[in-house]
């Protein structure tokens, strides 16, 4: 029988590792499908249990050099903790080498410089723990990648540092020659720093899912055989009658069978305005009930709820979004064998053509010079230095970039999908229009704010906040669910609500303000002592910076699409106001994911910008997810980049910084490989001693670092 199995994989350090695990699993007879995600450390396996069992699957993972873990979060936290400890140890032992490098440039003739430079046994003592304790993971990774016939950056690191360390050790023993311990130690420390940062970024992917799970209520009040009882939410069965009190979260998807209330569905639609619910209306688990009480028949429970669907979408998106392979890793597949071949060829040819007793010494010297000049010091510096400068500059400008992959991808974005509420707009309703009738504007606004001060409805808060003076008290307050409110203010009966409420009270309003409704605004009518007093409109105002940011995105060649759960009329009004290229309205979270996938299938590099729970799956599915810093924690954990200020100008900044940083990385890699390509043949012909090779390598590193630092001054 065909079975599906999910295994949590530990020990993967790059995307090539996931390929190795996939190969090991697929090689088993009975495995029909195996997909391994490096991003979330998970293997999805479809297999025939008559031919293979779980034990053999786990054994295949172990034979590839990796392990199956029960708790991936605990395993990742443990891995990150180990990396941090190793980095601290490596940094402590490498620090004197950094001091030496500084002294060689700043004070080459100083006594302390000469002592440190020639203190071979001291350098050996400092470099050995870094090389063999801290660097053990690179040797292991190198062996595994070679066994899997996919040489990675680990091979370059192990090869280059071993050559530098080994030749330096030889010179210490014989008491002559130059030392390259500093190159070996510093390379390992820097590469380890990159591994640590990458692991930390990957560890954040599960946080969004955990937060979504916490939205699900742990208990619910059910009515069984006429008795109310509180039970764990997991024990609810289909058909149960659920009592939902004011302020409670719904535990199931279902249908209202009694009661009336306004429900906050922002987790689904992103809209801050509650939705009125009455007999026969659908409600969804995870949404929050307002001031009324509801009786709900449970139709969707457990994994069948919309909230569970959102969690599943986020998981699938994170599993399928493989990180972009670094250019250095791609090149290493060719560069590593070439360097090894060049060194061996140099060694052999030197022995053949060089005569005398010095032939062996010359062969070793030339071969080591080839390996030293090929040592990936500048290659290892090329990307992390530019990334550190780029992300640092971004942070000072209100853009927090979580990973190198996000920074790399952002430069190639050609489609940006934008949520409406809280992204293009402020995400907070406000009074946009006010038309008094028969009284002064100030007095009418004062009465409107006074009657709404006892309501928790977002519209009520908008009205109350529109008046910044002390308010009179309101008595005999009544909330008329779905229609409005009523109260006594200074002896006058004040009604504020929908046109329907006014019609019920037979209060005539000649002006229906259709133009306001056409703009997607909520229109409220106020009557005082039975007479029309004012008409006002409440809407979510557009951010001041949105229109300018969208113009700049267009100038960068990026097409914009607004995708929202709000009604089409409101969405199109906002789209026209800010210059959106395309508007897609009345879309639920799965619809946003489908739109992201559609554009990706068309070959587009897709970004998603949003702030709500409903945006989390699309943020995770997009090539780059931009989370508004003013939004939910779930959105910020699902996104790859956090826009601290919440405005879209920060998104423009992120794209510009990404493009500038990637230009620097390409320049750095060019210089790194330029030195290698020129230096290797020169070293092979014996025209470049290991000492000069080391100096050339140091100069290459300095040029790369300097070029990266210049990113701070790059005009965006």
């Amino acid at each position: 029988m065909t079975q599906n199995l999910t295994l949590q994989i530990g020990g993967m350090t790059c995307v090539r590792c996931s390929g190795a695990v996939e190969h090991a699993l697929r090689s088993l007879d009975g495995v029909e499908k195996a997909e391994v995600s490096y991003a979330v450390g998970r293997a999805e396996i479809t297999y025939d249990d008559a031919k293979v069992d779980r034990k053999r699957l786990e054994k295949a993972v172990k034979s590839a050099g990796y392990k199956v873990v029960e708790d991936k979060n605990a395993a990742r936290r443990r891995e990150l903790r180990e990396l941090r400890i190793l980095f601290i140890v490596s940094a402590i032992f490498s620090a004197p080498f950094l001091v030496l490098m500084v002294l060689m440039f700043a004070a080459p003739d100083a006594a302390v410089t000469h002592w440190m430079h020639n203190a071979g046994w001291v350098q050996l003592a400092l470099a050995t723990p870094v090389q063999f304790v801290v660097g053990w993971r690179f040797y292991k990774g190198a062996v595994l990648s070679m066994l899997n016939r996919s040489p990675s950056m680990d091979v370059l690191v192990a090869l280059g540092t071993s050559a530098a360390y080994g030749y330096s050790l030889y010179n210490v023993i014989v008491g002559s020659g130059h030392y390259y311990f500093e190159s070996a130690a510093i390379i390992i420390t820097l590469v380890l720093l990159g591994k640590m940062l990458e692991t930390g970024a990957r560890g954040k992917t599960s946080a969004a899912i955990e937060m979504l799970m916490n939205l699900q209520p742990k208990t619910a009040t059910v009515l069984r055989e006429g008795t109310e009882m509180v039970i764990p939410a997991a024990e609810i069965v289909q058909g149960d009658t659920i009592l939902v009190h004011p302020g409670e979260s719904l535990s199931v998807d279902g249908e209202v069978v009694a009661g009336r209330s306004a429900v906050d569905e922002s987790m689904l639609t992103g809209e801050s305005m509650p939705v009125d619910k009455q007999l026969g209306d659908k409600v969804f688990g995870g949404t929050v009930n307002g001031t009324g009480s509801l009786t709900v028949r449970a139709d969707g429970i457990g994994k069948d709820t919309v909230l569970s669907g959102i969690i599943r979408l986020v998981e699938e998106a994170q599993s399928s979004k493989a990180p972009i392979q670094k250019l250095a890793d791609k090149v290493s597949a060719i560069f590593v064998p070439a360097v090894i071949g060049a060194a061996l060829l140099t060694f052999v040819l030197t022995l053949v053509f060089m005569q005398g007793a010095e032939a062996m010494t010359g062969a070793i010297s030339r071969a080591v010079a080839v390996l030293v000049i090929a040592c990936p010091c500048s290659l290892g510096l090329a990307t992390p230095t530019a990334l550190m400068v780029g992300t640092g500059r971004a942070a000072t400008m209100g853009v927090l970039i979580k990973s190198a992959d996000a920074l790399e991808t952002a430069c190639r974005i050609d489609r940006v999908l934008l949520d409406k509420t809280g992204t293009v707009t402020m995400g907070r309703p406000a009074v946009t229009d006010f038309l008094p009738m028969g009284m002064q504007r100030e007095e009418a606004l004062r009465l409107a704010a006074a009657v709404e001060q006892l309501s928790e409805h977002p519209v009520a808060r908008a009205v109350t906040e529109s008046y910044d003076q002390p308010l009179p008290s309101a008595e005999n307050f009544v909330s008329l669910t779905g229609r409005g409110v009523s109260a006594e203010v200074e002896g006058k009966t004040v009604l504020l609500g929908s046109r329907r409420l006014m019609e019920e009270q037979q209060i005539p309003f000649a002006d229906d303000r259709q133009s306001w409704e056409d703009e997607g605004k909520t229109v409220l009518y106020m009557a005082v002592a039975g007479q029309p007093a004012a008409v006002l409109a409440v809407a979510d105002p557009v951010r001041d910076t949105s229109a300018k940011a969208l113009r700049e995105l267009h100038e960068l060649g990026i097409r914009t699409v607004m995708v929202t759960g709000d009604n089409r009329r409101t969405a199109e009004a906002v789209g026209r106001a800010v210059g959106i290229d395309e508007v897609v309205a009345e879309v639920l979270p799965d619809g946003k994911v489908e739109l992201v996938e559609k554009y990706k299938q068309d070959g587009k590099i897709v970004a998603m910008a949003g702030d709500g729970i409903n945006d989390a799956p699309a943020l995770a599915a997009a090539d780059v997810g931009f989370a508004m810093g003013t939004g939910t924690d779930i959105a910020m954990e699902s996104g790859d980049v956090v826009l601290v200020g919440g405005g879209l100008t920060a998104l423009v900044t992120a794209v510009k910084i990404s493009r500038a940083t990637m230009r620097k990385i390409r320049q750095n890699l060019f210089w790194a490989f330029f030195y290698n390509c020129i230096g290797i043949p020169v070293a092979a012909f014996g025209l470049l001693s290991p000492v000069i090779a080391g100096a050339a390598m140091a100069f290459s590193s300095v040029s790369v670092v300097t070029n990266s630092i210049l990113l701070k001054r790059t005009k965006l």
Side-chain angles (χ1 to χ4, degrees):
M1 180 184 291
T2 299
Q3 301 283 346
N4 294 314
L5 176 66
T6 299
L7 296 178
Q8 307 299 336
I9 312 298
M12 295 191 296
T13 60
C14 68
V15 72
R16 293 181 182 273
C17 299
S18 62
V21 177
E22 278 187 7
H23 177 75
L25 290 169
R26 290 172 179 174
S27 64
L28 294 176
D29 183 30
V31 174
E32 299 173 7
K33 182 181 175 184
E35 293 182 353
V36 181
S37 169
Y38 165 63
V40 293
R42 183 166 65 197
E44 300 287 348
I45 310 164
T46 303
Y47 67 101
D48 185 346
D49 62 359
K51 297 181 179 179
V52 67
D53 58 14
R54 176 169 179 145
K55 274 191 174 181
R56 286 187 63 195
L57 294 170
E58 292 184 358
K59 188 177 179 181
V61 173
K62 291 176 183 176
S63 68
Y66 306 94
K67 53 190 176 183
V68 177
V69 297
E70 292 300 323
D71 186 345
K72 66 176 180 181
N73 293 327
R76 188 162 287 159
R77 285 193 297 269
R78 186 165 57 251
E79 181 185 5
L80 184 58
R81 185 166 59 249
E82 291 173 0
L83 283 171
R84 284 172 177 164
I85 293 171
L86 287 173
F87 174 71
I88 292 171
V89 172
S90 189
I92 290 172
F93 281 94
S94 298
F97 292 118
L98 286 173
V99 173
L100 174 61
M101 291 176 69
V102 172
L103 288 173
M104 288 181 68
F105 283 97
D109 297 326
V112 66
T113 305
H114 283 287
W115 178 83
M116 290 181 66
H117 186 69
N118 295 307
W121 290 104
V122 175
Q123 291 192 34
L124 175 65
L126 292 170
T128 300
V130 178
Q131 187 70 40
F132 297 108
V133 178
V134 178
W136 172 248
R137 63 181 295 110
F138 298 110
Y139 284 107
K140 182 181 177 182
V143 171
L144 287 172
S145 70
M146 293 299 288
L147 290 174
N148 294 317
R149 299 177 183 178
S150 58
S152 67
M153 187 69 176
D154 285 346
V155 179
L156 272 178
V157 173
L159 180 66
T161 59
S162 295
Y165 179 91
Y167 189 71
S168 300
L169 176 61
Y170 172 79
N171 286 336
V172 168
I173 295 171
V174 299
S176 64
H178 192 77
Y179 307 130
Y180 303 98
F181 290 119
E182 73 280 0
S183 299
I186 291 172
I187 289 169
I188 289 173
T189 303
L190 287 172
V191 176
L192 190 67
L193 174 62
K195 296 277 188 186
M196 184 182 71
L197 294 174
E198 183 180 353
T199 302
R202 285 193 290 117
K204 292 183 179 294
T205 58
S206 61
I209 297 171
E210 292 175 3
M211 290 181 183
L212 282 167
M213 289 178 173
N214 290 334
L215 291 176
Q216 299 172 312
K218 301 296 186 290
T219 62
T221 304
V222 300
L223 188 63
R224 291 178 177 173
E225 299 178 354
T227 304
E228 287 187 27
M229 59 182 69
V230 179
I231 66 171
E235 296 180 8
I236 298 172
V237 297
Q238 229 173 8
D240 267 343
T241 300
I242 313 297
L243 303 178
V244 188
H245 301 113
E248 288 184 347
S249 295
L250 279 83
S251 53
V252 298
D253 291 1
E255 183 178 311
V256 177
V257 296
R260 185 168 186 164
S261 186
V263 176
D264 180 359
E265 293 186 343
S266 59
M267 59 153 285
L268 287 178
T269 65
E271 303 308 309
S272 56
M273 305 288 282
V275 180
D276 291 330
K277 299 291 183 180
Q278 55 187 342
L279 182 66
D281 288 341
K282 295 289 184 183
V283 290
F284 305 96
T287 58
V288 182
N289 186 29
T291 55
S293 295
L294 294 173
T295 304
V296 177
R297 184 187 67 240
D299 296 331
I301 61 174
K303 294 183 177 180
D304 296 326
T305 65
V306 172
L307 178 58
S308 294
I310 293 175
I311 294 171
R312 195 160 51 250
L313 285 170
V314 174
E315 284 183 323
E316 290 173 356
Q318 291 181 338
S319 298
S320 63
K321 191 170 78 171
I324 300 170
Q325 288 180 302
K326 298 174 178 61
L327 181 57
D329 270 342
K330 294 178 182 177
V331 174
S332 65
I334 302 169
F335 189 64
V336 171
V339 169
I340 295 174
L344 289 174
L345 185 63
T346 300
F347 180 81
V348 172
L349 291 177
T350 303
L351 283 179
V352 171
F353 291 103
M354 185 176 284
Q355 303 296 320
E358 296 183 356
M360 179 59 72
T361 304
I364 294 173
S365 178
R366 291 185 183 186
V368 169
V370 169
L371 292 174
V372 170
I373 198 68
C375 189
C377 189
S378 59
L379 192 63
L381 288 169
T383 298
T385 54
L387 290 176
M388 283 190 287
V389 176
T391 54
R393 185 175 181 186
T396 63
M397 301 178 75
V399 179
L400 301 181
I401 302 171
K402 294 184 181 180
S403 70
D405 293 325
L407 187 65
E408 180 178 347
T409 310
C411 71
R412 298 183 288 116
I413 292 168
D414 51 20
R415 287 288 187 281
V416 173
L417 274 58
L418 303 166
D419 175 50
K420 179 182 74 69
T421 306
T423 303
V424 178
T425 67
M426 295 296 295
R428 186 176 63 252
V431 175
T432 57
D433 305 89
F434 195 90
L435 179 64
M437 299 177 177
M439 63 172 60
Q440 294 293 320
R441 174 186 172 88
E442 187 76 9
E443 176 64 11
L445 192 58
R446 187 176 75 93
L447 292 175
V451 75
E452 290 282 30
Q453 65 184 314
L454 298 177
S455 175
E456 293 298 320
H457 197 284
V459 170
R461 289 197 296 270
V463 175
T464 304
E465 291 170 2
S466 67
Y467 189 79
D468 58 1
Q469 300 296 321
L471 293 172
S473 60
E475 300 175 351
N476 301 321
F477 175 84
V478 178
S479 177
L480 306 166
T481 305
R483 290 168 293 165
V485 294
S486 169
E488 298 286 333
V489 182
E490 297 176 340
K492 303 173 185 175
T493 300
V494 181
L495 288 173
L496 184 63
S498 65
R499 189 173 184 85
R500 183 176 130 198
L501 175 62
M502 299 301 151
E503 290 172 351
E504 290 175 356
Q505 300 297 321
Q506 298 182 346
I507 301 172
F509 274 81
D511 193 344
D512 61 4
R513 307 300 344 181
Q514 184 64 45
S515 62
W516 291 356
E517 293 183 352
D518 290 342
E519 294 172 6
K521 300 173 180 178
T522 300
V523 180
L524 301 176
Y525 299 85
M526 186 175 74
V528 178
Q531 297 297 317
V535 183
L536 59 152
V538 175
D540 183 9
V542 172
R543 292 181 183 270
D544 295 337
T545 57
S546 291
K548 179 176 180 292
L550 287 163
R551 284 196 304 271
E552 291 183 351
L553 286 173
H554 293 152
E555 290 169 1
L556 292 171
I558 298 172
R559 184 173 175 82
T560 56
V561 182
M562 189 169 72
V563 53
T564 176
D566 205 355
N567 67 77
R568 179 164 296 280
R569 184 176 63 179
T570 302
E572 288 180 345
V574 173
R576 286 192 300 271
V578 297
I580 292 282
D581 292 319
E582 182 182 350
V583 174
V584 182
E586 301 173 3
V587 179
L588 292 179
D590 57 346
K592 293 186 178 183
V593 174
E594 289 173 3
L595 192 61
V596 169
E597 296 298 340
K598 174 183 175 295
Y599 282 122
K600 289 170 72 173
Q601 288 171 9
D602 292 340
K604 307 300 181 183
I605 305 298
V606 183
M608 174 71 196
D611 73 320
I613 297 169
N614 64 309
D615 300 316
L619 287 168
D623 293 304
V624 184
F626 292 92
M628 313 305 285
T630 53
T632 63
D633 290 343
I634 294 167
M636 284 189 280
E637 291 293 346
S638 299
D640 304 296
V641 180
V642 178
L643 309 178
V644 178
L648 289 177
T649 53
L651 193 155
V652 178
T653 299
V655 173
K656 289 181 177 179
I657 286 177
S658 171
R659 293 184 179 185
T661 303
M662 292 311 300
R663 281 196 300 271
K664 288 296 181 184
I665 290 175
R666 293 188 190 100
Q667 292 168 7
N668 288 346
L669 290 172
F670 168 78
W671 282 111
F673 285 112
F674 175 80
Y675 278 106
N676 286 126
C677 293
I678 298 297
I680 288 174
V682 173
F685 283 102
L687 302 175
L688 191 68
S689 70
V691 175
I692 299 175
M697 184 178 62
F699 184 75
S700 171
S701 301
V702 171
S703 65
V704 163
V705 172
T706 303
N707 191 48
S708 295
I709 292 172
L710 291 175
L711 182 59
K712 291 182 177 181
R713 302 180 181 180
T714 301
K715 187 177 179 181
L716 298 178

